[in-house]
Amino acid sequence: MAWLKGIISIVLLTGNTLFWGIPLMVLSLLKLALPFKPVQERLLKYLNGIASLWIATNNLWIRHWLRPQWHIDLPDSLSREHHWLVIANHRSWTDVFVMLYALHDHLPMPRFFIKRELIWVPIMGLAWWALEFPMMRRYSASQLKRRPHLAKHDLRATRKLLTHIDRTPVTIYNFAEGTRFTRAKHEQQESPYQYLLKPRAGGCAQVMTMMGHKLSGIIDVTLDYRQGRPRFRDLLCGRSGRIILKARRLDIPEWMPDGDYLNNTHYRERFQAWINALWQEKDQQLSCTTVS
């Protein structure tokens, strides 16, 4: 029965989180209490190892307990020894688990752009801080127009991550839409895309400005739920259906690194045009009537 499978999935997920969460919390508190660079670097290495084991254990029970009907298409040239930027559309919490399931064995440790409010999530909030996830404040276009300096808060969060990027390879994940897709949000935005919200270029541009030359490439991920269900509870109950993840590697355009998104109008418009064209391609892919 689906509800029973869901209960067992919650037990497995909770148990795995608590099992690895205890040492993760201890190391996170040590990192908070011992602000010495050599100590923090060693602690971050251990934290990454524990987080990797949490992901691997989740993937194990997902594979053997849920046995998901996911079609995953990845490029061949991925490596865990290099830095990457992953850009994806966003539907639900299911996206995170699908992407980690598909990419964890092929890319280095993930760093997600997350909302700052999530720091208050028990266990995980402190862990995300200790793992140096960039925590972003979300501002509306009208707020930024009235107070442009607010954009610098997110810039500082990104810079904090990227100043330590040389310590270990990482994969920076960015859901460029900034929020989960719903029809209400789609209508409110008057989005020009059929299946997507408008993308936000700022997070990607900040990464490119600060570490574009260090990235091995951009991984463009399209999550397709046309034959599946995006709700997280459907995933836990083993009825997520056929979800398709297609990833492709994009070379970084020569003009993209070292730009100034906040202060250079020409660069900002060019970056926005680039990501809008990328989103147009995603929407066309999602609009296809047949699924390979």
Side-chain angles (χ1 to χ4, degrees), residues 14-50:
T14 303
N16 184 41
T17 301
L18 292 175
F19 181 81
W20 296 113
I22 293 173
L24 201 67
M25 285 286 290
V26 172
L27 293 178
S28 297
L29 291 171
L30 284 174
K31 190 168 183 282
L32 182 63
L34 301 172
F36 310 110
K37 185 176 179 180
V39 175
Q40 294 215 336
E41 289 181 355
R42 180 60 61 89
L43 290 173
L44 182 61
K45 180 180 178 180
Y46 293 148
L47 286 162
N48 279 327
I50 294 172

Side-chain angles (χ1 to χ4, degrees), residues 256-268:
M256 194 171 283
D258 301 326
D260 186 349
Y261 186 82
L262 290 180
N263 300 308
N264 188 320
T265 302
H266 175 71
Y267 180 83
R268 182 167 59 251

Side-chain angles (χ1 to χ4, degrees), residues 1-291:
M1 298 176 66
W3 64 268
L4 180 59
K5 196 161 196 171
I7 291 174
I8 295 174
S9 295
I10 292 172
V11 171
L12 291 171
L13 176 58
T14 303
N16 184 41
T17 301
L18 292 175
F19 181 81
W20 296 113
I22 293 173
L24 201 67
M25 285 286 290
V26 172
L27 293 178
S28 297
L29 291 171
L30 284 174
K31 190 168 183 282
L32 182 63
L34 301 172
F36 310 110
K37 185 176 179 180
V39 175
Q40 294 215 336
E41 289 181 355
R42 180 60 61 89
L43 290 173
L44 182 61
K45 180 180 178 180
Y46 293 148
L47 286 162
N48 279 327
I50 294 172
S52 182
L53 289 169
W54 178 80
I55 295 170
T57 307
N58 279 335
N59 288 346
L60 189 67
W61 66 259
I62 288 173
R63 180 179 298 112
H64 295 288
W65 173 243
L66 297 181
R67 298 178 181 179
Q69 302 173 28
W70 297 345
H71 176 83
I72 297 169
D73 185 6
L74 302 179
D76 296 327
S77 54
L78 302 181
S79 168
R80 293 178 63 88
E81 305 302 319
H82 300 91
H83 301 304
W84 302 90
L85 171 63
V86 175
I87 304 175
N89 57 308
H90 192 22
R91 292 296 303 271
S92 77
W93 276 98
T94 301
D95 302 344
V96 175
F97 285 84
V98 175
M99 293 195 351
L100 293 180
Y101 182 91
L103 296 171
H104 180 63
D105 292 335
H106 304 276
L107 298 177
M109 276 300 297
R111 296 292 188 273
F112 284 88
F113 282 83
I114 62 175
K115 296 178 181 179
R116 189 172 182 84
E117 293 79 6
L118 292 178
I119 197 173
W120 303 111
V121 174
I123 299 178
M124 299 306 297
L126 180 60
W128 289 327
W129 170 84
L131 288 164
E132 301 179 356
F133 280 39
M135 297 188 177
M136 317 296 282
R137 295 175 172 90
R138 296 301 184 189
Y139 302 111
S140 66
S142 59
Q143 286 177 306
L144 290 175
K145 187 175 181 179
R146 292 194 306 269
R147 303 168 65 188
H149 67 278
L150 293 176
K152 295 182 180 179
H153 292 308
D154 287 352
L155 183 62
R156 284 195 292 269
T158 307
R159 184 178 288 118
K160 182 180 178 181
L161 164 67
L162 301 180
T163 53
H164 302 149
I165 204 74
D166 289 330
R167 290 182 295 187
T168 182
V170 298
T171 306
I172 302 173
Y173 287 77
N174 186 15
F175 293 114
E177 292 157 307
T179 186
R180 291 170 289 178
F181 178 96
T182 66
R183 283 296 168 190
K185 294 175 185 176
H186 185 270
E187 293 174 3
Q188 183 180 17
Q189 283 190 355
E190 297 182 351
S191 173
Y193 312 106
Q194 184 176 357
Y195 295 101
L196 302 168
L197 300 178
K198 294 178 181 179
R200 299 182 178 185
C204 296
Q206 290 170 19
V207 173
M208 284 297 162
T209 296
M210 298 179 193
M211 63 171 296
H213 293 298
K214 298 179 181 180
L215 293 172
S216 290
I218 300 169
I219 309 301
D220 173 36
V221 172
T222 301
L223 292 159
D224 186 346
Y225 289 93
R226 285 176 297 155
Q227 296 184 358
R229 301 178 182 181
R231 295 179 304 182
F232 188 54
R233 65 174 177 267
D234 287 319
L235 167 65
L236 295 176
C237 292
R239 57 188 185 194
S240 60
R242 188 166 185 246
I243 299 172
I244 298 172
L245 181 150
K246 289 189 176 182
R248 58 173 179 161
R249 177 178 176 175
L250 304 177
D251 292 328
I252 298 172
E254 292 183 2
W255 59 266
M256 194 171 283
D258 301 326
D260 186 349
Y261 186 82
L262 290 180
N263 300 308
N264 188 320
T265 302
H266 175 71
Y267 180 83
R268 182 167 59 251
E269 291 175 351
R270 192 174 187 182
F271 207 107
Q272 290 171 347
W274 176 84
I275 201 168
N276 287 335
L278 183 65
W279 242 240
Q280 186 63 46
E281 292 177 17
K282 281 182 181 293
D283 202 51
Q284 289 174 356
Q285 179 180 324
L286 293 170
S287 299
C288 293
T289 56
T290 60
V291 180

